[in-house]
């Protein structure tokens, strides 16, 4: 079904962010722009992370966030041109810019030894706006997980 759609190619992106920390809270606002000229557009995110200090030495955080993109970004991920529609059987869809999802993030980082840590992240996402109206995603509810091993120099 989705074989007729183009493969989303990885592109270099320039990113800027700002973070404001107060007490147990951290607010991060970030934006990144396609600089590889592959038509992937501008994306912006805002996330609030709430630290849970009672589990020390573990670092545990959780909180809500939102993602938005311009028309170029949303079209690359969620748009279906008339040609793609004819080839795939999906309905044609002209994605507009706007909020693409609201999400909740859970992060746990555990020190394993003096220089080593193991970090897990789970991201639960609810597609919204141009993403939710697209015929491409199979469901509006998405999730992703990450497991990382870190070494401090």
């Amino acid at each position: 079904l989705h074989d007729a759609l183009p493969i989303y190619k990885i592109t270099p992106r320039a990113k800027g962010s700002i973070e404001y920390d107060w007490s147990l809270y951290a607010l991060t606002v970030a934006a990144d722009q396609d600089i590889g000229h592959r038509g992937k557009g501008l994306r912006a995110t805002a996330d609030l992370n709430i630290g849970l200090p009672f589990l020390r030495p573990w670092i545990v955080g959780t909180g809500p966030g939102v993602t938005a993109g311009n028309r170029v970004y949303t079209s690359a991920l969620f748009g279906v041109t008339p040609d793609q529609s004819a080839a795939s059987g999906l309905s044609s869809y002209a994605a507009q810019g706007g909020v693409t999802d609201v999400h909740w993030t859970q992060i746990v980082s555990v020190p394993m030894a003096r220089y080593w840590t193991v970090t897990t992240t789970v991201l639960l996402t609810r597609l919204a706006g141009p993403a939710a109206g697209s015929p491409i995603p199979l469901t509006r509810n998405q999730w992703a997980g990450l497991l990382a091993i870190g070494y401090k120099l």
Side-chain angles (χ1 to χ4, degrees), residues 36-69:
H37 307 291
R38 294 194 175 179
K40 305 302 184 222
L42 174 69
R43 171 181 54 194
T45 59
D47 292 283
L48 176 65
N49 192 347
I50 304 154
L52 305 175
F54 54 85
L55 295 174
R56 297 205 189 276
W58 292 24
I59 298 170
V60 179
T62 189
V66 63
T67 304

Side-chain angles (χ1 to χ4, degrees), residues 19 65 86 142 144:
E19 183 171 318
Q142 311 276 318

Side-chain angles (χ1 to χ4, degrees), residues 19-146:
E19 183 171 318
Y20 180 72
D21 295 320
W22 71 102
S23 186
L24 301 176
Y25 305 96
L27 176 64
T28 305
V29 178
D32 56 85
Q33 170 68 48
D34 169 16
I35 58 172
H37 307 291
R38 294 194 175 179
K40 305 302 184 222
L42 174 69
R43 171 181 54 194
T45 59
D47 292 283
L48 176 65
N49 192 347
I50 304 154
L52 305 175
F54 54 85
L55 295 174
R56 297 205 189 276
W58 292 24
I59 298 170
V60 179
T62 189
V66 63
T67 304
N70 67 1
R71 184 194 52 76
V72 175
Y73 172 77
T74 58
S75 292
L77 286 173
F78 305 109
V80 180
T81 67
D83 289 342
Q84 293 167 343
S85 174
S88 69
L90 295 173
S91 7
S92 183
Y93 182 71
Q96 300 300 311
V99 172
T100 57
D101 74 63
V102 291
H103 53 267
W104 191 271
T105 306
Q106 177 69 48
I107 301 168
V108 178
S109 187
V110 182
M112 301 305 286
R114 183 172 177 184
Y115 298 105
W116 293 93
T117 60
V118 173
T119 301
T120 61
T121 302
V122 174
L123 176 69
L124 304 174
T125 301
R126 175 84 173 166
L127 297 180
S134 172
I136 296 174
L138 299 177
T139 177
R140 287 183 67 180
N141 298 314
Q142 311 276 318
W143 74 275
L146 168 77

